[in-house]
């Protein structure tokens, strides 16, 4: 804490990673050992109690592993993915903290991102560099003792910025420009039905590139609806979740035009929880 209005954060993360991959047919071997530090820093300015302005920057590290990496470059594992991220935004707590609004703009630059190889179906390669930038809006709050909501929207422009195979400026595979969700939950606060809650929501994803070659193949946009119900009694909780209520047919991701993965059909899940 620098002052009542200013706060700062400085931290780092240390990753120590070892991986050994063997494949009998075709015969190949790839070993890697990595040590990486990922520092980050942030600054918050709070001019008035209910409003915070913030900015942060940081780096990331993730090894590229798996049979695809070894098959494309036998004995030479792909370099790890690294990145630099920047964010600036504002948070507002309204109505005594019952409603939290957040708006943020971001930019993330990543190197050696694993992506499907357009010239070798079923295999992967590490793109030279990609950039994702855009903004995010979220709202969550307790509108009344019984009703709470959670909503969000993300606009992301993700493109290849450097590569020996993929065209520079090509949109990044499986990344939609527009996505968002809305969830509302109502819980009875008194009487015989106290502790009973019911809710529902929708999630939407815009169309996105379906292959890495820039062929124009796209996965269509979709909207799916979900529902939930639960009952809480003292330290017990019984729950029921229904995903994709209307059994909407949609496609979650793809490697290319010949390999497309469908989204989950209607799924019903029950749960029972005891808290001590």
């Amino acid at each position: 804490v620098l002052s009542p209005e200013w706060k700062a954060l400085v931290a780092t993360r240390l990753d120590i990673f070892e991986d050994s991959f063997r494949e009998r047919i075709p015969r190949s071997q790839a070993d890697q050992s990595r040590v990486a530090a990922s520092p980050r820093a942030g600054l918050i300015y709070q001019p008035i109690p209910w409003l915070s302005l913030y900015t942060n920057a940081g780096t990331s590290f993730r090894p590229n592993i798996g049979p695809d990496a070894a098959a494309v470059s036998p004995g030479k594992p792909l370099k790890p993915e690294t990145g630099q991220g920047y964010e600036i935004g504002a948070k507002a707590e309204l109505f005594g903290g019952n409603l939290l609004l957040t708006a943020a703009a971001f930019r993330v630059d990543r190197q050696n991102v694993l992506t499907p190889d357009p010239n070798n179906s079923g295999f992967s390669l590490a793109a030279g560099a990609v950039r994702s930038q855009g903004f995010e809006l979220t709202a969550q709050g307790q509108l009344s003792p019984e009703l709470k909501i959670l909503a969000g929207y993300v606009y992301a422009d993700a493109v290849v910025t450097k590569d020996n195979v993929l065209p520079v400026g090509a949109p990044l595979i499986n990344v939609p420009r527009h996505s968002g969700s809305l969830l509302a939950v109502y819980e009875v606060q008194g009487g015989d039905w106290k502790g009973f809650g019911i809710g529902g929501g929708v999630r939407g994803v815009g169309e996105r590139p379906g292959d890495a070659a820039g062929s124009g193949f796209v996965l269509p946009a979709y909207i799916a609806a979900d529902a939930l119900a639960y009952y809480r009694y003292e330290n017990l909780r019984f729950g029921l979740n229904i995903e994709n209520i209307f059994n909407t047919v949609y496609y979650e991701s793809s490697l290319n035009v010949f390999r497309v993965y469908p989204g989950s059909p209607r799924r019903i899940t029950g749960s029972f929880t005891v808290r001590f």
Side-chain angles (χ1 to χ4, degrees):
V1 178
L2 304 179
S3 72
E5 295 84 16
W6 291 92
K7 298 177 183 178
L9 170 68
V10 178
T12 188
R13 169 178 168 169
L14 180 66
D15 288 279
I16 302 174
F17 175 83
E18 292 186 1
D19 176 66
S20 179
F21 176 80
R22 305 286 188 275
E23 190 171 28
R24 295 180 181 271
I25 302 175
R27 192 173 185 83
S28 63
Q29 175 178 336
D31 300 319
Q32 57 177 320
S33 178
R34 314 279 186 183
V35 178
S38 305
R40 60 190 179 97
L43 187 64
I44 300 175
Y45 174 58
Q46 193 171 11
I48 48 181
W50 56 269
L51 178 64
S52 297
L53 308 177
Y54 70 91
T55 183
N56 60 64
T59 61
S60 63
F61 165 85
R62 186 176 69 175
N64 282 325
I65 61 175
D68 286 347
V72 173
S73 303
K76 297 180 180 179
L78 296 174
K79 294 180 180 180
E81 178 185 313
T82 59
Q84 305 81 39
Y86 313 91
E87 184 179 13
I88 184 171
K91 294 183 179 181
E93 295 186 16
L94 306 177
F95 307 110
N98 288 327
L99 180 62
L100 175 62
L101 304 177
T102 304
F106 62 86
R107 171 170 172 159
V108 179
D109 293 287
R110 296 183 293 162
Q111 298 79 39
N112 302 320
V113 177
L114 204 63
T115 189
D117 187 341
N119 298 321
N120 297 282
S121 179
F123 296 103
S124 299
L125 54 81
V130 301
R131 181 190 66 231
S132 178
Q133 59 186 2
F135 62 89
E136 180 179 10
L137 305 173
T138 63
Q140 64 181 65
Q142 195 79 35
L143 301 186
S144 71
E146 297 83 10
L147 181 63
K148 59 182 177 182
I149 64 164
L150 176 63
Y153 167 78
V154 177
Y155 171 85
D157 179 24
V159 297
V160 174
T161 56
K162 179 183 178 182
D163 197 77
N164 293 326
V165 178
L166 306 177
V168 173
L172 203 58
I173 184 173
N174 294 320
V175 179
R177 287 204 171 204
H178 306 277
S179 61
S181 63
L182 173 64
L183 173 68
V185 178
Y186 182 89
E187 181 178 316
V188 180
Q189 299 297 303
D192 295 337
W193 289 89
K194 181 179 180 180
F196 174 75
I198 188 170
V202 293
R203 45 192 166 92
V205 176
E207 67 176 26
R208 54 257 184 244
D211 67 17
S215 66
F217 171 61
V218 298
L219 300 180
Y222 70 88
I223 296 177
D226 306 313
L228 62 89
Y230 62 86
Y231 178 69
R232 294 189 298 110
Y233 178 74
E234 295 183 352
N235 61 334
L236 305 178
R237 187 184 189 277
F238 304 88
L240 181 68
N241 285 54
I242 306 177
E243 298 179 40
N244 195 3
I245 302 173
F246 303 111
N247 209 27
T248 301
V249 176
Y250 67 94
Y251 304 99
E252 199 165 68
S253 63
S254 69
L255 292 177
N256 50 51
V257 67
F258 301 108
R259 188 173 294 184
V260 179
Y261 301 101
S264 175
R266 182 188 299 114
R267 181 167 59 182
I268 302 175
T269 306
S271 63
F272 171 65
T273 306
V274 181
R275 292 187 177 182
F276 297 97

